[in-house]
Structures are given as structure tokens and as C-alpha cells.
Amino acid sequence: MFLRTLEFFGNIFDSMHQVVEHPAMQRRLSTGIFWIFVASLAGVGAKRLELLPPGIAGHTPNSPLEAINLAFTFVLVLELLSLVFAISCSLSRALAKQFQILGLILLRNAFKELTHLHESTSATLDWQPVLHIGIFGAAALVVFICLGLYYRLPQAVIHLESDMRMRYVLSKKMLGLVLLAIFTCTGIEDFWLFLSTGASTSFFETIYTVLIFADVALVLIAQRYMHNFHATFRNVSFVLATLLIRIALGTPAPWDALIGVCAVLYALALTWAITRFDPRTIPLRPQKPGSPS
């Protein structure tokens, strides 16, 4: 009965994955983001000319730079969807997707610093936002380079019987559906809050908090099928990497960028160590004659 339930939800997950990740759907979503960006720019211009009704003007960006932030936010939402679907594949792939999102968030933060610049940039008045732009850009570049190295490292291979592997994958797909529901509800709530009050939301901070608990759930699920210290240490360490990303998102600039870089460096070192010191690849030392066994 339990296996049939897992298969039912697994089929739903696969159907949603096929629809969302289909190239045609990705093109439609990207086109939609483009037109949202164009509409935001048009709305900014109409607001400055006082052509918008007061109700609509209150929710229209004041600056073209805010339209850039809005477009980046939608791009990040698409990456979050990809992250949910990556969870069913492997923990290492899901962690890589988290760092991809972190890199885009750092780039978005660099563009957000442009709103703090004066119309005529002054080295005296604008040194701090310019410095933050440089730090965010450099941090995003480091994340990108580390991801390239991360993908080049060999990943740990899980050896499970076919039945156990199927149960493991189906359990992760069910967790992915739960995450998708939480992300959708959180997005709708934050969007409604923005429309109602115009206040900025902490959507991505909330999402990464949820991801910490999701990663812990993945560790506990994996524990049913992998009972060795090596796998447990790897999975728990991945949770720590997610925790560092969450701390980075809640920290003011420029420390958020520095903590984000520390997180990706930690994940890179962890992956190297896990594959370098895999017990299955370390040869046993020959014992000397007469030494105790």
C-alpha cells in the first residue's frame, strides 16, 4: 500500500517535471519574464508622466532599476522550480542548483546597489555602493568558478539494489511535491503582501529556511537505505552548506557575499574529500609480519 502511494505521487511529480522542464515551456516562461520586464519599464514611464490611476501607481516601480530586480526575481523563481526537480536526482545535484541560485542572487544584489547611487556618481558619496557592487560581482564569479570545479570532481556513487533504489527515489519525489506546495503557498502569500502593502518580502530567505528542513528530511530518508558513516557525513555536511547559504541571505552586505563564498568553498572541499577518502577506493595497508590483526 505504501509503495503504491509513493508510485502515485511519483507519477504526479514526473508529469509536472516533464511539463515545466520541457524546452517549449521554458521558452514560454522566459518570454513571459521578458514581457513583464517591458511592462514594468512602461509602467515606470507612465507613472512619471502621471498617466496611471492611483491604485495602480501605488504598486508600480518608481525606478527602471526596480524593473531589473523584478525580472531577476522571476528568473530566480524558475531556478527554484529546477531545484525542486533536481532533488529527486541526487543531493549533490540539488546542492549545485542551490549555489547556482546563490550566484544569481549575488548578481541581483549588485544591481540593487545601483538604486543607492546618485544621478551624477560621486567617488566621495557613492564609494560604499560601488564597493558593494564590486564585492557582489566578485563573489558571484567565485561561485561560478567553484561550480565549474565542483562539476569536474567525481561524485559519490550510491550502490543500492533496484527495489531499494526505486523506493529511495520515490521518497525524494514525494518530498519534492511537498516542497513545491510550500514554495507555491509562500510565493502567493508574499505576492499578496506586496500587492496589499507594497512592502518588500523575504521570499528567498524563507525558501532557504525551508530547504534546511528539507535537507534534514533527505538525510533521514537516505539513512534508511545507506547505513555507513561515509554517506551520513556527506549528507549532513550538505545540510551545513545549505545553512551557510541561509545565513548569507540574512546577513547585511558585504558579509552576505563573503559567507556565500565560504559556503561554496566548503562544498567544493567537502566533495573533494568525500571522493578522495572514499573507503571503497582506499587500499588497505599491508600489515607487518608479527603485527596484531
Side-chain angles (χ1 to χ4, degrees):
M1 181 65 183
F2 179 69
L3 181 58
R4 290 182 179 178
T5 303
L6 288 179
E7 290 177 345
F8 173 75
F9 286 107
N11 291 333
I12 295 177
F13 183 89
D14 290 336
S15 300
M16 298 179 66
H17 188 188
Q18 184 177 4
V19 170
V20 175
E21 294 290 322
H22 194 276
M25 177 60 70
Q26 289 293 313
R27 287 193 295 270
R28 294 190 190 100
L29 294 173
S30 300
T31 302
I33 294 175
F34 170 76
W35 286 114
I36 289 174
F37 174 66
V38 172
S40 299
L41 292 176
V44 171
K47 183 176 182 179
R48 290 183 175 181
L49 296 175
E50 299 182 353
L51 299 177
L52 296 178
I56 299 179
H59 301 294
T60 303
N62 297 314
S63 169
L65 296 176
E66 295 183 32
I68 297 176
N69 182 43
L70 180 63
F72 267 106
T73 300
F74 280 106
V75 171
L76 289 170
V77 169
L78 289 184
E79 291 296 324
L80 278 177
L81 286 176
S82 298
L83 170 60
V84 172
F85 296 125
I87 286 177
S88 64
C89 299
S90 67
L91 286 173
S92 58
R93 180 175 173 182
L95 183 63
K97 180 60 68 173
Q98 291 185 43
F99 283 116
Q100 289 179 18
I101 296 173
L102 174 64
L104 292 176
I105 290 177
L106 292 173
L107 290 176
R108 186 191 66 159
N109 290 347
F111 281 101
K112 288 172 67 175
E113 289 293 326
L114 294 175
T115 59
H116 300 146
L117 296 175
H118 296 80
E119 292 188 3
S120 57
T121 306
S122 170
T124 304
L125 299 176
D126 297 324
W127 68 269
Q128 188 171 7
V130 170
L131 177 63
H132 289 173
I133 290 173
I135 292 176
F136 283 129
L141 179 59
V142 171
V143 171
F144 179 81
I145 294 173
C146 289
L147 271 175
L149 297 174
Y150 180 86
Y151 284 126
R152 289 175 179 269
L153 289 176
Q155 301 293 331
V157 179
I158 301 174
H159 298 282
L160 294 174
E161 297 180 359
S162 58
D163 180 66
M164 299 291 285
R165 178 177 292 276
M166 180 185 67
R167 291 174 179 269
Y168 179 47
V169 172
L170 289 175
S171 298
K172 292 193 293 183
K173 289 181 178 180
M174 191 168 182
L175 178 62
L177 283 177
V178 174
L179 280 177
L180 188 60
I182 293 175
F183 291 175
T184 302
C185 293
T186 304
I188 293 174
E189 181 182 2
D190 285 4
F191 184 68
W192 177 256
L193 178 64
F194 173 76
L195 290 179
S196 303
T197 63
S200 59
T201 62
S202 56
F203 175 74
F204 292 103
E205 290 87 340
T206 303
I207 291 304
Y208 269 95
T209 301
V210 174
L211 283 175
I212 293 172
F213 291 96
D215 286 347
V216 172
L218 283 173
V219 170
L220 297 178
I221 291 173
Q223 194 67 21
R224 293 188 58 193
Y225 306 97
M226 295 170 282
H227 308 290
N228 60 82
F229 167 77
H230 190 262
T232 302
F233 181 85
R234 167 182 174 266
N235 296 337
V236 175
S237 298
F238 282 167
V239 180
L240 180 58
T242 303
L243 177 61
L244 288 174
I245 298 176
R246 172 61 186 87
I247 293 174
L249 295 180
T251 306
W255 303 109
D256 52 351
L258 298 178
I259 296 175
V261 168
C262 290
V264 71
L265 289 174
Y266 171 77
L268 185 63
L270 171 68
T271 304
W272 175 84
I274 289 294
T275 54
R276 175 67 177 79
F277 301 109
D278 191 330
R280 294 168 299 182
T281 61
I282 299 177
L284 296 176
R285 293 183 178 179
Q287 294 185 349
K288 296 180 180 181
S291 61
S293 58

